[in-house]
Amino acid sequence: MTTATVEKPATQLPPLIPRELLFGNPERTSPSLSPDGKYLAYIAPDDNNILQVWLKIVGQEETQALTRDPKRGIRFFFWTYNPDQLMYVQDSDGDENWHLYLVDVQTHIVRDLTPFQGVRAQVVNVDHKFPDQILVGMNLRDPQVFDVYQVNLKNGAVDFHTENPGNILGWTADADFKIRAASSSTEDGGFDLLYRETTEHPWETLRHWGPDEEGGAAFFSNDGKILYMVGNHNANAERLIALDLSTRQETIIAEDPEYDIGGLLAHPITRNIEAVSFYKDKEEWHILDESIAADIEAIKQIRPGEFGISRTLSDEKWLISFVVDDGPVYYYVYDRPTKTHSFLFSNKPKLEGLPLASMEPISYTASDGLTIQGYLTKPVGVALPAPTVMLVHGGPWARDTWGYDSEAQWLANRGYAVLQVNFRGSTGYGKAFVNAGNREWAGKMHQDLIDGVNWLVEQGISQPDKIAIMGGSYGGYATLVGLTFTPDVFACGVDIVGPSNIITLMQSIPPYWEPIRKNFYHRVGNLDTEADFLKARSPLFFVDRIEKPLLIGQGANDPRVKQAESEQIFEAMKQAGKPVEYVLYTDEGHGFARPENRLHFYAIAEEFLAKYLGGRFEPIGEIAGHCGVIKSSS
């Protein structure tokens, strides 16, 4: 006997929140005070709705756009320690070959400091004692490895600084701008911590972490005698450790038996570590230096939410961000001497007052007894059990966290419950939990999701025949696994830039991932010796099992999950007569950066989900400026 789902009358349903509010550009976001506290810069759209860096003098109302990015929009910038210079990064149509741009706030002149075709730049170090210099990693000499270059911010001169012997993954400079520590990959799939007393001394190995461990340098003390590092050797979770470089004695500064160390709060001049965080259900801060205890307490009183802190060099002004689960990000300036605060702005004020859903931390027990944690967002105004979307995070060595999530809010507003699962292999929960995901792609990692589905049904949250699976990157792969390995469980799937074949994924990784290939082999499977095993975990080879409809979104310039990953499963499903829709975005990479493309894809996804789950949808309408090319199996 089946029971009909009784929904509340339509009059009790909240209004449909326009996709533009959820997925469009923020009004203003990412504010940052200059180190001297004179300027406030932030990101906001220009008249063409392209994100630019804007500037105002603190205390004055007038604002001005500093940049003129023509198309993609700027998403990340930072101040140099010169009073009138800031920097931003930008790639070309999602290729992730990041260039570093310098902006003069007086003249508005923008200069590409790394104008090398096909080369990826990454910031290694900026320091207040060396305001005219920046250390940059670039794979200019060899696509697979990043050497260090010193770039002069006055004249743009690029000088070779430190050579990468081929296995260095990350560099750490001391307070005197000297590269004295590095993290290197090893043949066993693990990592070494390298150190040299001076730049004239040879490198030596301070510590080795095996392939089932994690660790690396954080930063040096001001006097260069202590190296702060994180590591989970001799422990389950990553701890913050002070390594005395003369005695080689390790001192534990902060640890938790179950959760990895998260954020660090250090004084901008002295480098003294004042607080650390551990991310549990939510972020928890632990104060190490009582001199900031009253400040943290004052910040907690400003408003609810998880807070982030950035500081001026004088340490008198702190810029505070607050993340909540049912509204925008709120920004404040906190004055340390007076312990007072002033409100700056929120990133999307039009979200305020809308019937957004709360995000609830949950946990359940997996089939083999492992505790799985995650977050549940219930739809507002809909009686349970409700149609549901399992929203799977990427990585997979990452995790979902509490807070406003545009996808979760969009889905909840359309009438769906949303479950986000930190399946085994997710990070933050200690190495035993990460290692439980080794060689478990399409295995126990997927079973954790199925156990989540069973939990949803047992709790009366979800209608068992109305559960979809959706995600990006690894989450896209999990979607494909869901439709092929467990074809009866999900009503439909939405795959965003997900790999369909682990073999071709590994064969086409970016050259600069080459140093971590051995670790990838350890965690997933060895391409050289275990092709059959990897094939057995690849959805492409099980297309014949698919029974439910699939929607695919892909960026044509994706360097991590190539276009071929989506093309091959689309073609295989099309030939097999399986229901599949595919949207290719010709100017995107690993995800959709341009709001026109986001709005286009989520419009299609919304109608797709409504068709198979029965939720609400906003008509697609006219979306100008997107580059989506729609293909279907029919």
Side-chain angles (χ1 to χ4, degrees):
M1 180 177 173
T2 58
T3 11
T5 302
V6 180
E7 290 197 359
K8 294 183 181 180
T11 53
Q12 293 190 30
L13 290 173
L16 215 57
I17 299 173
R19 281 186 301 272
E20 175 66 42
L21 285 186
L22 297 166
F23 298 116
N25 278 332
E27 289 190 20
R28 288 179 288 184
T29 191
S30 307
S32 179
L33 287 167
S34 59
D36 61 5
K38 179 182 177 182
Y39 298 113
L40 175 75
Y42 57 89
I43 291 173
D46 61 16
D47 291 340
N48 297 316
N49 199 32
I50 297 170
L51 293 177
Q52 309 290 356
V53 180
W54 293 69
L55 182 83
K56 64 177 284 187
I57 297 174
V58 172
Q60 299 183 13
E61 288 304 310
E62 183 186 349
T63 62
Q64 53 184 320
L66 288 180
T67 60
R68 299 173 299 279
D69 190 81
K71 177 183 179 183
R72 195 158 176 77
I74 294 165
R75 285 154 287 153
F76 173 74
F77 76 93
F78 61 95
W79 285 98
T80 74
Y81 287 100
N82 271 332
D84 298 324
Q85 291 181 330
L86 57 77
M87 308 188 80
Y88 69 90
V89 297
Q90 185 60 285
D91 67 348
S92 177
D93 287 345
D95 65 3
E96 297 186 12
N97 287 325
W98 302 103
H99 287 228
L100 205 53
Y101 292 87
L102 183 71
V103 185
D104 186 301
V105 305
Q106 296 293 340
T107 64
H108 292 202
I109 292 173
V110 177
R111 177 194 292 163
D112 185 353
L113 293 177
T114 58
F116 309 109
Q117 191 71 29
V119 171
R120 177 183 173 117
Q122 51 195 30
V123 176
V124 172
N125 198 40
V126 289
D127 193 280
H128 66 94
K129 292 191 294 186
F130 301 87
D132 295 335
Q133 306 290 332
I134 182 171
L135 296 179
V136 181
M138 284 190 285
N139 54 347
L140 182 58
R141 178 180 59 86
D142 181 338
Q144 293 186 10
V145 298
F146 291 83
D147 301 308
V148 181
Y149 296 81
Q150 186 162 319
V151 182
N152 187 304
L153 300 183
K154 292 286 192 188
N155 58 25
V158 178
D159 294 319
F160 195 86
H161 189 274
T162 306
E163 183 172 348
N164 189 333
N167 61 342
I168 303 292
L169 303 171
W171 306 95
T172 305
D174 65 11
D176 293 322
F177 225 51
K178 308 292 186 188
I179 299 286
R180 290 179 54 218
S183 175
S184 69
S185 59
T186 55
E187 280 300 308
D188 64 354
F191 309 94
D192 279 345
L193 174 62
L194 305 182
Y195 164 74
R196 57 186 181 182
E197 191 174 335
T198 70
T199 53
E200 283 72 46
H201 281 73
W203 291 103
E204 56 179 308
T205 302
L206 290 184
R207 170 162 292 285
H208 175 67
W209 289 280
D212 286 327
E213 298 177 315
E214 297 287 340
F219 59 91
F220 284 90
S221 61
N222 254 359
D223 61 10
K225 294 179 179 178
I226 301 290
L227 177 59
Y228 297 105
M229 63 180 188
V230 295
N232 56 21
H233 53 282
N234 307 321
N236 175 51
E238 286 192 73
R239 308 180 287 182
L240 178 62
I241 300 166
L243 173 63
D244 186 311
L245 293 167
S246 58
T247 65
R248 305 296 162 91
Q249 185 73 32
E250 293 184 3
T251 303
I252 309 301
I253 298 176
E255 64 180 329
D256 184 278
E258 187 178 347
Y259 295 92
D260 295 329
I261 195 83
L264 300 179
L265 194 61
H267 190 280
I269 297 291
T270 68
R271 296 186 173 216
N272 178 46
I273 301 174
E274 297 171 330
V276 299
S277 73
F278 297 92
Y279 209 108
K280 302 184 179 182
D281 285 344
K282 299 178 183 178
E283 189 171 37
E284 295 183 9
W285 281 95
H286 296 245
I287 294 171
L288 303 179
D289 186 329
E290 283 302 311
S291 69
I292 67 160
D295 300 296
I296 298 299
E297 199 51 44
I299 287 166
K300 287 180 179 177
Q301 303 311 312
I302 296 174
R303 67 172 307 123
E306 292 184 354
F307 58 85
I309 299 172
S310 64
R311 305 152 83 162
T312 59
L313 269 179
S314 70
D315 209 28
E316 291 188 350
K317 301 288 186 186
W318 291 10
L319 203 150
I320 315 295
S321 61
F322 285 92
V323 171
V324 297
D325 60 342
D326 57 356
V329 182
Y330 297 90
Y331 299 101
Y332 294 79
V333 174
Y334 170 73
D335 183 78
R336 273 199 89 192
T338 62
K339 304 286 189 284
T340 58
H341 63 270
S342 56
F343 177 64
L344 271 181
F345 52 75
S346 68
N347 69 334
K348 289 191 170 187
K350 289 178 181 174
L351 292 177
E352 295 174 45
L354 292 179
L356 296 172
S358 60
M359 182 184 276
E360 173 191 346
I362 61 95
S363 66
Y364 57 87
T365 304
S367 304
D368 63 356
L370 201 62
T371 298
I372 305 298
Q373 300 183 54
Y375 300 92
L376 175 67
T377 304
K378 295 175 186 172
V380 176
V382 176
L384 300 179
T388 300
V389 177
M390 167 88 57
L391 190 58
V392 187
H393 70 69
W397 304 289
R399 62 161 286 177
D400 281 316
T401 54
W402 180 87
Y404 176 81
D405 183 301
S406 55
E407 286 184 325
Q409 292 294 344
W410 161 66
L411 292 166
N413 180 257
R414 272 43 176 173
Y416 309 120
V418 183
L419 183 63
Q420 295 168 275
V421 174
N422 285 324
F423 47 85
R424 71 191 66 204
S426 300
T427 53
Y429 299 97
K431 67 185 179 189
F433 193 79
V434 172
N435 296 336
N438 287 353
R439 304 173 61 79
E440 293 295 346
W441 285 38
K444 290 180 180 176
M445 290 165 75
H446 183 62
Q447 186 58 46
D448 290 343
L449 303 182
I450 301 304
D451 292 338
V453 168
N454 295 334
W455 177 84
L456 285 165
V457 174
E458 289 163 9
Q459 297 292 314
I461 295 163
S462 304
Q463 299 168 239
D465 61 337
K466 292 286 179 68
I467 300 175
I469 183 168
M470 173 178 177
S473 196
Y474 177 86
Y477 165 83
T479 296
L480 300 178
V481 169
L483 296 193
T484 50
F485 285 70
T486 49
D488 301 328
V489 173
F490 299 103
C492 60
V494 180
D495 153 34
I496 305 169
V497 299
S500 61
N501 179 353
I502 303 176
I503 294 172
T504 50
L505 173 72
M506 287 185 173
Q507 288 171 339
S508 62
I509 61 171
Y512 44 81
W513 282 16
E514 200 58 40
I516 60 168
R517 182 183 286 274
K518 291 281 172 46
N519 187 261
F520 205 64
Y521 282 8
H522 177 78
R523 297 275 187 202
V524 184
N526 192 312
L527 178 63
D528 300 328
T529 60
E530 300 179 295
D532 288 344
F533 172 74
L534 296 177
K535 186 175 179 180
R537 301 294 175 98
S538 297
L540 178 65
F541 302 104
F542 303 96
V543 164
D544 59 307
R545 297 182 187 173
I546 294 178
E547 298 172 9
K548 306 295 172 52
L550 173 66
L551 169 64
I552 301 172
Q554 175 70 42
N557 305 310
D558 192 336
R560 307 185 219 179
V561 178
K562 298 287 198 296
Q563 180 180 333
E565 292 299 318
S566 291
E567 297 279 347
Q568 57 194 359
I569 197 159
F570 170 71
E571 290 298 334
M573 287 184 70
K574 187 176 171 183
Q575 289 191 13
K578 306 288 183 178
V580 58
E581 299 174 47
Y582 174 36
V583 193
L584 177 70
Y585 293 90
T586 57
D587 63 2
E588 292 286 8
H590 198 62
F592 310 138
R594 293 181 59 235
E596 299 87 347
N597 294 331
R598 283 198 303 275
L599 290 166
H600 183 256
F601 182 76
Y602 285 115
I604 292 170
E606 187 170 311
E607 196 166 316
F608 176 85
L609 290 169
K611 184 176 180 180
Y612 300 108
L613 296 185
R616 305 187 295 167
F617 70 94
E618 177 190 358
I620 289 181
E622 282 297 314
I623 301 171
H626 77 82
C627 68
V629 179
I630 302 174
K631 309 176 184 181
S632 73
S633 56
S634 54

